[in-house]
């Protein structure tokens, strides 16, 4: 079995009775704090609506902190969540198809680190959004700090309460815009760490398994019809994750 349990949930879902009827999908996502969070959630939400609503499944969205969203799905109190990475949690179902990619960067004040590679992070106070699990992409020992909100983490960086913040570069740039002068990008340096695919994650309930299977059946339909490309253009998202 792979760490992302794709084979497991596909096999088990095939065993489900065809009589299982799914009429709605409770989807959780991170609380929007600024334009880019609302913007990217709107894109992902609309993708999921295009997957499910044409076949009669209503998608309901609930905003909660990221880590709470994980717990809700793991405990079957929600059917799924947005913005999940492979390998973060073993008891959620990760489908085969992603819907977006993130360029994960480390950002820090210029001249504060002698950056050659990630070894520059050794012993530094490094922060990221709670639940994202970015420690998997830092092969050195750091003083890691998890923060619920992106805006709070950038303010901590500006006030030298942390040395480095790690996140998707687009999210960092847009969050800094929302801070209205509290974060001057010209004083900071960005260094690439990893490209990560984003997936919905589903509960391990019978309903979650069926929703996951429908997602993997419907995503290639949206891609080949051109609908996914249209959604990315509509929301002005800078990277279309299926060009290669």
């Amino acid at each position: 079995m792979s760490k992302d349990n794709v084979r497991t949930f596909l096999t088990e879902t095939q065993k489900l009775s065809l009589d299982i009827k799914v009429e709605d999908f409770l989807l959780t996502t991170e609380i929007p704090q600024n334009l880019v969070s609302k913007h990217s959630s709107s894109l992902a939400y609309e993708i999921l609506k295009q997957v499910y609503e044409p076949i009669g499944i209503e998608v309901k969205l609930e905003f909660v902190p990221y880590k709470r969203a994980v717990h809700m799905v793991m405990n079957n109190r929600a059917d799924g969540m947005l913005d999940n990475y492979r390998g973060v949690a073993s008891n959620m179902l990760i489908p085969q198809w992603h819907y977006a990619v993130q360029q994960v960067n480390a950002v820090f004040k210029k001249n504060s680190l002698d950056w050659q590679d990630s070894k520059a992070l050794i012993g530094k106070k490094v922060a990221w959004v709670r639940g994202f699990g970015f420690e998997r992409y830092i092969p050195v020992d750091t003083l890691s700090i998890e923060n619920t909100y992106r805006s709070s983490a950038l303010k901590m960086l500006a006030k030298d309460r942390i040395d480095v913040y790690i996140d998707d570069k687009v999210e960092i740039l847009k969050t800094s815009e929302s801070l209205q002068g509290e974060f001057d990008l010209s004083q900071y340096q960005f260094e690439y760490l990893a490209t990560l695919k984003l997936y919905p994650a589903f509960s391990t309930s019978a309903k979650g398994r069926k929703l996951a299977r429908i997602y993997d059946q419907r995503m290639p339909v949206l891609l080949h019809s051109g609908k996914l490309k249209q959604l990315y253009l509509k929301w002005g998202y800078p990277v279309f994750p299926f060009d290669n």
Side-chain angles (χ1 to χ4, degrees):
M1 183 179 73
S2 74
K3 67 180 180 180
D4 302 305
N5 55 40
V6 172
R7 294 179 184 174
T8 299
F9 93 75
L10 287 177
T11 301
E12 294 299 320
T13 304
Q14 289 171 345
K15 297 177 183 178
L16 294 176
S17 168
L18 295 178
D19 294 333
I20 293 177
K21 187 175 182 180
V22 178
E23 296 181 344
D24 57 26
F25 178 11
L26 177 56
L27 181 68
T28 59
T29 188
E30 183 184 359
I31 295 173
Q33 303 162 59
N34 50 60
L35 291 176
V36 71
S37 292
K38 294 176 183 177
H39 174 97
S40 57
S41 291
S42 296
L43 170 62
Y45 180 46
E46 191 160 346
I47 290 173
L48 270 290
K49 284 170 66 73
Q50 288 297 322
V51 167
Y52 294 102
E53 296 199 344
I55 59 173
I57 300 174
E58 181 185 4
V59 182
K60 302 175 181 178
L61 189 62
E62 181 175 342
F63 291 106
V64 297
Y66 186 86
K67 197 164 186 177
R68 187 183 304 170
V70 172
H71 287 300
M72 288 177 68
V73 177
M74 289 172 59
N75 294 312
N76 295 328
R77 291 191 289 113
D79 302 314
M81 65 175 291
L82 294 173
D83 296 352
N84 207 276
Y85 308 106
R86 285 201 181 280
V88 171
S90 59
N91 37 358
M92 295 191 294
L93 307 177
I94 307 299
Q96 294 182 5
W97 281 83
H98 62 287
Y99 60 79
V101 294
Q102 289 188 335
Q103 302 289 330
V104 178
N105 275 241
V107 60
F108 48 89
K109 287 186 175 179
K110 291 179 178 178
N111 303 317
S112 65
L113 295 180
D114 181 15
W115 185 275
Q116 301 296 324
D117 54 33
S118 59
K119 291 179 181 178
L121 301 176
I122 293 175
K124 301 299 182 182
K125 293 181 180 178
V126 181
W128 53 79
V129 174
R130 190 181 310 277
F132 276 19
F134 284 151
E135 68 272 10
R136 292 172 299 139
Y137 307 101
I138 307 174
V140 296
D141 291 330
T142 66
L143 302 175
S144 60
I145 300 170
E146 292 188 309
N147 202 299
T148 301
Y149 301 116
R150 288 186 168 94
S151 56
S152 297
L154 289 185
K155 290 177 183 178
M156 290 174 67
L157 183 60
K159 295 177 181 178
D160 296 319
R161 293 172 58 192
I162 59 174
D163 301 308
V164 182
Y165 177 59
I166 294 178
D167 203 348
D168 172 51
K169 187 173 183 179
V170 172
E171 296 282 3
I172 295 172
L173 293 175
K174 293 299 183 179
T175 302
S176 70
E177 291 177 8
S178 74
L179 293 178
Q180 300 180 344
E182 294 183 73
F183 192 84
D184 181 0
L185 275 176
S186 67
Q187 298 180 21
Y188 294 86
Q189 180 173 334
F190 286 82
E191 294 293 344
Y192 169 84
L193 290 176
T195 298
L196 302 180
K197 293 178 179 179
L198 288 178
Y199 301 81
F202 298 89
S203 74
T204 57
S205 67
K207 181 181 179 183
R209 292 175 186 274
K210 185 164 185 178
L211 287 166
R213 187 162 185 82
I214 291 170
Y215 174 84
D216 270 336
Q217 291 171 340
R218 293 273 300 154
M219 278 293 285
V221 174
L222 297 181
L223 176 60
H224 295 303
S225 70
K227 186 64 178 179
L228 277 181
K229 187 77 168 183
Q230 292 174 15
L231 292 176
Y232 268 78
L233 292 173
K234 173 183 175 179
W235 293 103
Y237 201 78
V239 180
F240 185 62
F242 303 103
D243 279 333
N244 296 325

